[in-house]
Amino acid sequence: MVEKLLKYPFLKLTFVAIITFCAFSYSKFEDFRGNDHPFISDVMNYHSYLPAVFIHDDLSFEFPNQYWTTEAPNGAKIAKGTMGMAMMYCPFFLMGHAWANASDYPADGYSFPYYFMVR
């Protein structure tokens, strides 16, 4: 099927343009805000579920954290965001967690292995 698609010059050019754009956008815009990690803004909120579950075993968010939590009517802390993106990040988080546990990096959910795998 790929051979059929690549017969057409326009598709070849489009394919090369997409690959080139992806390569340049990753290298040029990865830290456009001057941050040295991806755990900012909404990503921090979505990612908060993963350390809470896999490291602290505490979805009540009672451990020391910087997450965006709000108080529920019953007085418990809850995260302001949903856990949908955390489910998407989960396989990469677990790979980063295995890497951190097998190396000298802290297994805190925010060290370089987690950063690398979520990025």
Side-chain angles (χ1 to χ4, degrees):
M1 177 166 170
V2 172
E3 294 84 20
K4 281 185 178 181
L5 292 174
L6 293 179
K7 284 182 183 179
Y8 303 100
F10 177 74
L11 291 177
K12 288 180 190 176
L13 181 63
T14 303
F15 180 73
V16 169
I18 289 171
I19 297 298
T20 304
F21 175 77
C22 289
F24 274 108
S25 67
Y26 183 78
S27 65
K28 295 291 182 190
F29 300 113
E30 71 178 303
D31 291 330
F32 70 98
R33 291 185 186 168
N35 297 306
D36 59 350
H37 60 83
F39 305 118
I40 56 169
S41 191
D42 291 344
V43 176
M44 172 76 152
N45 193 27
Y46 302 137
H47 182 80
S48 68
Y49 286 99
L50 299 170
V53 169
F54 293 108
I55 296 173
H56 301 288
D57 194 28
D58 179 15
L59 270 177
S60 64
F61 294 96
E62 294 299 326
F63 55 92
N65 63 67
Q66 298 175 353
Y67 310 137
W68 296 339
T69 57
T70 189
E71 193 171 311
N74 65 356
K77 287 184 187 177
I78 57 172
K80 282 191 168 187
T82 60
M83 66 176 69
M85 288 302 294
M87 291 180 193
M88 300 301 286
Y89 295 152
C90 187
F92 304 101
F93 177 86
L94 292 176
M95 286 187 277
H97 195 56
W99 178 3
N101 284 323
S103 66
D104 293 333
Y105 292 106
D108 60 359
Y110 296 96
S111 60
F112 179 75
Y114 303 97
Y115 156 81
F116 183 81
M117 296 308 292
V118 169
R119 178 65 75 163

